[in-house]
Amino acid sequence: MPVSDLPAYHQERVVCTITAAIKYQIPVNILLAVAEKEGGKPHQWVRNANGTYDVGAMQFNTNYLRDLGKYGITAEDVSMPGCYAYNLAAWRIRQHIQKDQGDIWTKVANYHSRTPKYNAIYRADLMVKAAKWADWLEERFRVNMK
């Protein structure tokens, strides 16, 4: 299935994710896996049990967004359609890859949680999704993922 055969929202997710992965030098299949795992949509706000919200396509937690407020980044910014949320997520994941301890999967799963139990659950699913996306990319773009 070419990208154009995907529903419009999924086209945006795939195109924005691939572009952001290249820009921030993150394996494309891994960032696609994170985007799928987060599964958010523009303008979506999901309430968490602790009273925070996960916002937009890449499900940024409002606690994390408070820290980004010093740069002028708001929850409304990441809730909008378009590539902004994907770029911000790629930037954040790049920071985890560069600065955190552990293998790449643990570092990327820190996007979701640094708590070992939750990181492990997210990481396991992320690895499965990343393998699926690697196959998808190879079939459509003839890239070497190895």
Side-chain angles (χ1 to χ4, degrees), residues 2-142:
V3 174
S4 62
D5 288 346
L6 294 171
Y9 174 69
H10 292 292
Q11 288 180 35
E12 178 178 282
R13 178 188 289 169
V14 170
V15 170
C16 289
T17 301
I18 290 171
T19 304
I22 292 166
K23 180 177 180 179
Y24 289 97
Q25 301 176 337
I26 297 167
V28 174
N29 64 313
I30 292 176
L31 194 57
L32 282 164
V34 172
E36 179 185 359
K37 179 85 176 130
E38 292 302 324
K41 296 178 181 158
H43 305 296
Q44 183 179 41
W45 288 62
V46 177
R47 184 174 171 81
N48 298 311
N50 65 1
T52 63
Y53 289 86
D54 291 334
V55 180
M58 292 301 283
Q59 294 290 279
F60 281 94
N61 188 276
T62 51
N63 270 342
Y64 181 71
L65 290 171
R66 269 184 239 143
D67 293 338
L68 293 179
K70 62 186 169 194
Y71 303 109
I73 298 169
T74 68
E76 289 73 29
D77 294 330
V78 300
S79 75
M80 299 302 289
C83 293
Y84 185 82
Y86 299 95
N87 278 295
L88 187 60
W91 171 82
R92 180 176 167 198
I93 289 168
R94 180 72 181 166
Q95 299 301 309
H96 287 302
I97 290 170
Q98 290 177 332
K99 297 176 181 176
D100 294 356
Q101 299 295 313
D103 63 23
I104 191 167
W105 301 106
T106 300
K107 292 175 180 185
V108 173
N110 284 343
Y111 180 85
H112 173 71
S113 178
R114 292 179 186 269
T115 304
K117 172 184 172 182
Y118 300 117
N119 183 289
I121 294 166
Y122 191 93
R123 183 175 66 237
D125 193 34
L126 190 66
M127 292 169 79
V128 170
K129 287 178 177 8
K132 177 193 73 167
W133 280 109
D135 291 343
W136 188 89
L137 288 163
E138 278 193 38
E139 288 172 13
R140 282 151 189 85
F141 297 102
R142 303 188 209 296

